[in-house]
Structure formats: structure tokens, C-alpha cells
Amino acid sequence: MESIDSVVRLEKEGPIALITLNRPDRLNAFNVAMRDQLYEIIMAIRDDPTIDAAVLCGAGKGFCAGADLTEFGTHPPVLRKRQVRLQRDLWEEIRRMTKPIAAALHGFSVGSGLEMAMLCDFRFAAPGTKLALPEAQLGMIPAAGGTQSLPRLLHQGLALDFAMGGHRITAEEGYLKKMISRIVPKDELIQFTVDYMRKVVEHKANSSRVIKSLVTNGLDMSLAEGLAREKVLIARTWNKHK
């Protein structure tokens, strides 16, 4: 295994990249260094032909407590932060990652931590994991894509209630609402998620990428447009096997 010893660790288990948010003393609160390092890692995974899928998890007591407001609220200045975000749109890069990616959640997944997980293709969680988007209660708006990813997982009314109310729910409730893919015992969570992603890509990694592209992009198309795109990509796949 290879690793980067920093606020985000990257390890490799065969064709699976294991990304670990590594600020356990701050409950993995998302700061500028974590944003920048995670962006670099996502770019590296995207361009590495030996990696077929990724797993995102958190060190310590939980997955991610959301943004570190003590840092984002003071440094860098607002205009500089906007400029950096335009140059390095981490959330968009996770969203459009062509390789399958899963989040392994434990303890808590709050604010941008939950939004980040919702940008992944699968969300596995340990029993009792706390989920919340508390921004509205703080007079803020979810800023990591939550207003768009949430209604793609939940019924619109449930999405509005969850985001506007800032409710905290458990992973078990999230599973019933379709936010969570599966509940997994805490001591098995990471290995289960890695093994699951290995099975997803073990037969033909390219097929998994094509299916992901069709499903995710098809959500923003009419049924006719989605079916037409499916025919085109299927034809390309078949041609490669001739």
C-alpha cells in the first residue's frame, strides 16, 4: 500500500483507492488544506489507469463534521475563496468522477460531510451514524451541492423537510428514506465497502463507468434522450469487442 500522511490519506488496495479524511482531532471538519489535498487526490484517481473505483471514509470518531467554520470564516478572504472554488471545484469533480465511488460513514456525517457523501454513488453506514444538514438553522444554505443531490435521492417533500428543518436522523432512518445504500456493522464497514467496490469493477471496469454515466446523466434528460444515448454507448462498447 502507498499512503500520503496528511489531512487526507490515500491508500491503494488493488484497483480500489481508499481515501481517508484525516483530521480526527477536529472530527474531520473540512478545512482549506483538506479541500486542496482531496482535490489533488480526486484528480490523481481520475488519471490513474490502475485505479478502477474509490472509497471515501473518515478517521477517528466519525466521517466528517462539516466545514471548519473557524477557518473558512476567517481565512482566506471571501473573494479569494470564491476564486479558488472556481479554479478547484472539488464538489463538481466528485460529482462527475467517471469511476464509481462509495462513501463509508460512521459516527456522524454532517453538513458538507453529508453533502460530499451524497455526491458519491453508494453510501454505506455503520448503525447509529448521525446524518444532518444543519445549515438552515445557522441562517446558511448547504453549499456543497446538497440542494441538488438530496432531491435526487429523496422525494422532493422529504428533501425540503430535511434541508429546511436541519433535522438529525440516524443511518437507519436514512436507509428507509433511500439516502443510505446499506447498514453495515462498524467493525466491517471499511472492508465491506472496499470489497463491494471491487466486485462492482472486477468483471469489466469500463462497463461500470458507462453504466454510471448513463444513469447519472440520464437523470437530467428526457426518457427518449436517455435511451438514445444508451444506444450510442452500447454500440461503441460492442464495436470495441469486434
Side-chain angles (χ1 to χ4, degrees):
M1 286 188 179
E2 300 173 356
S3 67
I4 297 175
D5 187 18
S6 58
V7 295
V8 184
R9 294 202 314 266
L10 173 62
E11 301 169 284
K12 190 176 174 185
E13 296 198 10
I16 310 302
L18 179 61
I19 311 164
T20 304
L21 306 180
N22 190 38
R23 297 185 75 209
D25 56 322
R26 299 303 299 269
L27 304 179
N28 295 324
F30 211 81
N31 67 350
V32 173
M34 182 177 284
R35 177 201 63 196
D36 290 346
Q37 290 181 25
L38 184 55
Y39 179 90
E40 295 295 340
I41 285 173
I42 291 296
M43 294 296 95
I45 292 171
R46 181 196 66 181
D47 297 334
D48 188 337
T50 69
I51 293 176
D52 295 327
V55 171
L56 181 63
C57 64
K61 296 180 179 180
F63 176 69
C64 179
D68 188 338
L69 298 180
T70 61
E71 180 169 328
F72 278 108
T74 58
H75 179 79
V78 174
L79 291 178
R80 175 57 181 158
K81 284 191 291 187
R82 289 178 180 172
Q83 181 182 14
V84 170
R85 180 159 182 171
L86 287 173
Q87 293 172 343
R88 294 187 162 199
D89 193 340
L90 170 63
W91 312 124
E92 177 62 13
E93 293 300 337
I94 294 175
R95 186 194 70 80
R96 67 185 183 188
M97 166 80 78
T98 60
K99 301 175 182 181
I101 181 169
L105 313 177
H106 77 286
F108 43 81
S109 181
V110 177
S112 58
L114 180 57
E115 293 180 90
M116 180 165 43
M118 291 193 295
L119 290 172
C120 296
D121 304 308
F122 307 97
R123 284 155 299 283
F124 302 110
T129 300
K130 302 299 187 296
L131 313 173
L133 292 178
E135 288 88 347
Q137 293 185 335
L138 302 173
M140 303 168 66
I141 298 172
T147 62
Q148 302 306 303
S149 55
L150 188 60
R152 284 168 167 76
L153 298 174
L154 303 181
H155 180 278
Q156 180 179 338
L158 290 175
L160 287 170
D161 178 66
F162 185 72
M164 290 180 173
H167 310 304
R168 176 173 292 192
I169 65 174
T170 64
E172 289 85 347
E173 293 173 279
Y175 175 76
L176 294 176
K177 295 176 184 294
K178 314 294 186 185
M179 293 172 64
I180 299 299
S181 306
R182 192 174 303 182
I183 304 297
V184 181
K186 170 65 170 60
D187 59 353
E188 302 173 15
L189 180 63
I190 302 302
Q191 193 59 55
F192 173 90
T193 308
V194 170
D195 290 343
Y196 184 94
M197 297 308 286
R198 185 180 287 114
K199 290 178 182 178
V200 165
V201 300
E202 68 180 347
H203 295 299
K204 195 68 176 178
N206 187 60
S207 296
S208 297
R209 295 179 197 178
V210 172
I211 291 170
K212 174 176 177 174
S213 173
L214 286 168
V215 171
T216 55
N217 292 316
L219 290 172
D220 297 321
M221 299 178 181
S222 68
L223 178 58
E225 291 171 328
L227 290 172
R229 187 168 186 271
E230 181 185 74
K231 289 180 180 179
V232 170
L233 293 184
I234 288 174
R236 290 179 184 173
T237 302
W238 285 350
N239 289 334
K240 290 181 179 179
H241 290 290
K242 290 180 179 180

